[in-house]
Amino acid sequence: MSDPIKHECAVAMLRLLKSPEYYREKYGSSHYGYRKLLLLLEKQHNRGQDGAGIVSLSFNPEPGKPAYNICKSAAANPLPDLLERIGDADGYRGELLLGHLRYATFGKNDVGYCHPFVHESTCLERLFMLAGNFNLTSGKAMMDHFLATGHHPSATSDGYLLTQTIAHYLEQERDSGLKHIRWAELLRNALEPMDGAFTLCGMNGMGDSFAIRDARGIRPGYYYMDDEVVVVASERPAIQAAFNLTTDQVKELPAGQVLVIRREGDVSFQPCLPEQEHRSCVFERIYFSRGNDADICRERKALGRALMPAILKQVDEDFEHSVFSYIPNSALLCYQGLVDSLNEEAAKRGTLARSGQVAVKDAKFRTFISDEESRKELYMHVYDVTYGVVEAHKDALVVVDDSIVRGNTVRNAVLPILDRLAPRKIVMASSAPPVKYPDCYGIDMSTTSELIAFRAAVSVLRKHGREHVLREAYNLAKVDLNPPHGHVSKNRLKMIYDAVDEEELIQEIARMLTPVGLKAEFTVVYQTCEDLRKCCPNHTGDWYFTGDYPTPGGNAVANRALVNFMENKKERAY
């Protein structure tokens, strides 16, 4: 993706089912679990680079010493910093380990926001630790509930509030006098009122642990178990790499059910949250998750193949004078699918498709230069180009990206550097449809003004003197958000897009993306929602493009984002 956007975190949990001596004898190390957890985190480092945390729980702690060891980091490179601080890892040889990588979608890049979160207690059953990949729209309601029940929250982050909520019900369960904690009932009480998306892993001081996804399966989660380990992670290939498994051996966590692992080693799936329509996030397939997952690889290639007809139309089906390339690195698989279909079509016509890497992404640019022009010049060189591939003034250059969200990098870096090759035309092809709506389930994208599709829609309405559509949508959104309207059922942003012709919207996006002085003709091609569904049929969480949010909180976020825009407020919508 050319636009740098922050998104979901990664979680990993590992339960060793045998004695410590078993792993030392079989694998030659008393740090077997710790090393496997590190590998699970490293293989998911794409999902979180703002913080990292690890906690290790021993089942038979020595009296007078902590039952667990925890280390967190919010350094510039948090995972290596974490490993350096842990050192020889003698305190991380517990039977139960929990790790997390954080992207800062909420809160500051501060160690206090890093997972795992801990609810302290000298009673091991009440001691509780939680890590997860989640975003909730119900933070204010959670805070109000705490205050109404006589509690005093000392922080406002989702992670803290969620941890304390579950710990509250854990304490009630502990006081019930039952032999075993009823995790399914406990989590149903704690999580059912929540609005949002989550994959959570938690454990108490006695050694019970669990993993659960939201009832709609919005956030991803996978697991594997045998007679030695139970492991959970946000991505399937991480588990495959850590334990040398095939794709079929690693299963998807069932949405709304809780995987419970008792201290004694009993493992079970239990019904927990009310059944909902499955709406797993399709942006996972397009961009977030690593492409070495077998299904994601196949889907991204299909997205590239689906783009071919629209791309060929933009270059007048001229194979001889067209060069096909991509924006590194996450668009590579989509590009490979496009090239496969182009080669098939070219072979039918007795010609060849000219393809190769034209745009090259250099290392991240970090500069403190205060002069705006100098900073802009350096920013443009985040990308470089391969010279001698494009014939100047004759060739059209097609570049595939996985999505276009804000458009800043396309306008300020990608197009200026590609224009140096002097193509007669540049076609930017997005494997995703236009991103029209804010997100509240993982991506740090809570305002409308940052979305180029929204800015383009507003521009089209104003050009046609139809600003009244904005005002009507704003007035309705404001009414929806005011009491007694606690359940927002309509997304008023849809009114704006419904009033704009899709083709004209895309043309306006292309105009707004065009930098001053661009010599080449420039057009944009987007994937259609229909083709997206065909390529990713099992992942219908497409609210970014359609505005069809899976929870009422999503509609509320969309309406609040619209109100903020109309009132010129820069604050987040959730």
Side-chain angles (χ1 to χ4, degrees):
M1 179 181 287
S2 54
D3 287 318
I5 64 173
K6 295 185 176 183
H7 51 92
E8 295 103 87
C9 306
V11 67
M13 184 174 72
L14 179 63
R15 167 65 198 275
L16 302 180
L17 297 174
K18 303 287 188 180
S19 68
E21 292 75 20
Y22 173 90
Y23 302 95
R24 185 165 54 249
E25 292 178 7
K26 181 172 182 178
Y27 298 104
S29 172
S30 59
H31 296 113
Y32 173 81
Y34 174 70
R35 291 174 179 173
K36 289 296 186 182
L37 184 74
L38 292 184
L39 186 53
L40 289 168
L41 292 176
E42 173 57 33
K43 289 299 181 180
Q44 300 180 99
H45 73 268
N46 56 299
R47 302 182 69 87
Q49 299 165 22
D50 293 328
I54 293 175
V55 64
S56 173
L57 178 74
S58 297
F59 283 6
N60 297 295
E62 182 180 343
K65 293 186 178 181
Y68 67 94
N69 285 283
I70 188 168
C71 189
K72 302 182 186 182
S73 173
N77 295 297
L79 191 54
D81 179 65
L82 202 68
L83 306 188
E84 183 176 347
R85 289 165 55 194
I86 290 174
D88 61 12
D90 280 345
Y92 291 80
R93 292 184 289 186
E95 293 90 336
L96 188 51
L97 300 105
L98 181 59
H100 187 267
L101 297 170
R102 178 175 184 263
Y103 248 125
T105 58
F106 178 86
K108 303 173 182 177
N109 287 357
D110 183 273
V111 71
Y113 291 94
C114 292
H115 306 209
F117 291 95
V118 179
H119 173 78
E120 294 283 4
S121 177
T122 56
C123 173
L124 291 179
E125 281 190 307
R126 297 172 188 259
L127 172 64
F128 179 66
M129 287 153 276
L130 181 76
N133 165 11
F134 58 85
N135 258 26
L136 303 176
T137 69
S138 52
K140 185 179 183 303
M142 291 166 65
M143 179 66 77
D144 291 343
H145 174 72
F146 263 80
L147 296 174
T149 53
H151 292 79
H152 177 74
S154 59
T156 60
S157 71
D158 283 359
Y160 169 83
L161 293 173
L162 192 52
T163 301
Q164 298 306 323
T165 299
I166 296 174
H168 168 70
Y169 287 100
L170 176 59
E171 290 182 349
Q172 290 184 344
E173 186 74 9
R174 167 64 168 73
D175 292 339
S176 68
L178 294 172
K179 182 179 179 180
H180 288 295
I181 293 171
R182 299 169 297 179
W183 286 104
E185 183 173 336
L186 183 162
L187 291 168
R188 184 182 308 115
N189 291 331
L191 299 176
E192 189 174 352
M194 307 290 181
D195 187 292
F198 52 81
T199 295
L200 304 175
C201 292
M203 57 191 188
N204 75 344
M206 287 297 294
D208 279 0
S209 56
F210 68 84
I212 186 170
R213 292 171 74 195
D214 61 86
R216 296 168 178 84
I218 299 173
R219 293 274 65 83
Y222 295 87
Y223 74 96
Y224 167 76
M225 64 179 73
D226 57 24
D227 63 344
E228 293 184 355
V229 298
V230 180
V231 57
V232 175
S234 293
E235 294 197 15
R236 178 167 54 186
I239 301 177
Q240 290 181 245
F243 294 92
N244 191 25
L245 303 171
T246 65
T247 297
D248 292 341
Q249 287 177 291
V250 182
K251 307 298 183 182
E252 188 174 5
L253 281 173
Q257 296 186 38
V258 58
L259 169 62
V260 177
I261 312 162
R262 298 285 183 188
R263 175 193 172 96
E264 298 79 11
D266 298 330
V267 183
S268 63
F269 280 98
Q270 301 173 21
C272 182
L273 301 175
E275 187 174 346
Q276 301 283 351
E277 179 188 2
H278 196 76
R279 296 293 305 279
S280 55
C281 172
V282 76
F283 232 136
E284 282 283 345
R285 327 302 291 179
I286 296 169
Y287 170 63
F288 294 148
S289 294
R290 294 175 69 173
N292 58 337
D293 182 282
D295 291 339
I296 291 175
C297 178
R298 180 170 55 253
E299 290 162 5
R300 289 184 184 176
K301 286 185 175 181
L303 290 169
R305 297 181 72 94
L307 281 171
M308 186 192 72
I311 288 174
L312 287 181
K313 183 178 179 181
Q314 287 295 326
V315 298
D316 299 321
E317 305 201 12
D318 186 352
F319 280 92
E320 183 179 355
H321 299 104
S322 299
V323 176
F324 303 93
S325 190
Y326 67 98
I327 304 299
N329 290 311
S330 53
L332 176 59
L333 291 172
C334 175
Y335 162 74
Q336 290 175 346
L338 171 65
V339 169
D340 288 345
S341 59
L342 286 170
N343 286 334
E344 292 169 5
E345 183 64 26
K348 295 177 185 177
R349 306 183 187 193
T351 186
L352 297 172
R354 298 166 58 198
S355 59
Q357 186 171 10
V358 174
V360 180
K361 191 170 186 179
D362 284 340
K364 284 185 176 180
F365 246 100
R366 297 184 184 273
T367 177
F368 295 98
I369 295 175
S370 58
D371 178 69
E372 185 174 349
E373 286 303 315
S374 298
R375 190 167 62 248
K376 183 177 179 181
E377 176 70 13
L378 283 172
Y379 182 67
M380 184 178 76
H381 289 281
V382 168
Y383 290 90
D384 206 341
V385 287
T386 303
Y387 295 94
V389 177
V390 175
E391 189 173 354
H393 311 297
K394 291 185 179 180
D395 286 340
L397 174 59
V398 177
V399 286
V400 177
D401 203 353
D402 44 51
S403 58
I404 303 171
V405 181
R406 299 182 180 97
N408 296 332
T409 306
V410 171
R411 180 177 56 252
N412 298 323
V414 175
L415 290 178
I417 203 74
L418 293 179
D419 201 42
R420 291 188 173 192
L421 299 175
R424 64 176 175 82
K425 184 176 186 177
I426 299 174
V427 179
M428 176 72 68
S430 168
S431 74
V435 179
K436 299 177 177 179
Y437 300 91
D439 180 65
C440 52
Y441 306 116
I443 310 175
D444 187 17
M445 195 169 69
S446 66
T447 66
T448 54
S449 58
E450 63 186 332
L451 303 178
I452 192 164
F454 178 79
R455 298 199 305 274
V458 171
S459 177
V460 170
L461 290 176
R462 287 173 174 168
K463 283 181 180 179
H464 292 293
R466 302 187 64 200
E467 290 185 77
H468 65 89
V469 175
L470 290 170
R471 291 191 296 271
E472 290 171 6
Y474 162 70
N475 289 332
L476 289 170
K478 199 164 185 178
V479 170
D480 288 345
L481 291 171
N482 288 330
H485 299 274
H487 188 88
V488 181
S489 60
K490 290 188 177 181
N491 173 2
R492 303 300 182 177
L493 275 174
K494 284 189 173 187
M495 295 173 60
I496 295 169
Y497 293 107
D498 289 344
V500 177
D501 178 75
E502 187 75 2
E503 185 175 342
E504 187 175 6
L505 175 71
I506 294 173
Q507 291 173 355
E508 184 65 9
I509 291 173
R511 186 194 68 78
M512 296 176 74
L513 287 174
T514 303
V516 175
L518 189 77
K519 298 181 181 66
E521 179 188 352
F522 175 62
T523 59
V524 177
V525 169
Y526 279 104
Q527 191 79 258
T528 66
C529 288
E530 291 74 19
D531 282 339
L532 175 65
R533 295 185 188 106
K534 292 176 183 177
C535 296
C536 307
N538 299 319
H539 304 276
T540 61
D542 59 1
W543 54 89
Y544 316 89
F545 320 116
T546 64
D548 296 331
Y549 290 96
T551 75
N555 292 327
V557 166
N559 290 351
R560 194 171 296 113
L562 174 59
V563 169
N564 288 347
F565 171 79
M566 294 296 290
E567 295 179 355
N568 200 28
K569 294 178 180 178
K570 306 300 182 183
E571 62 193 49
R572 300 172 62 88
Y574 66 95

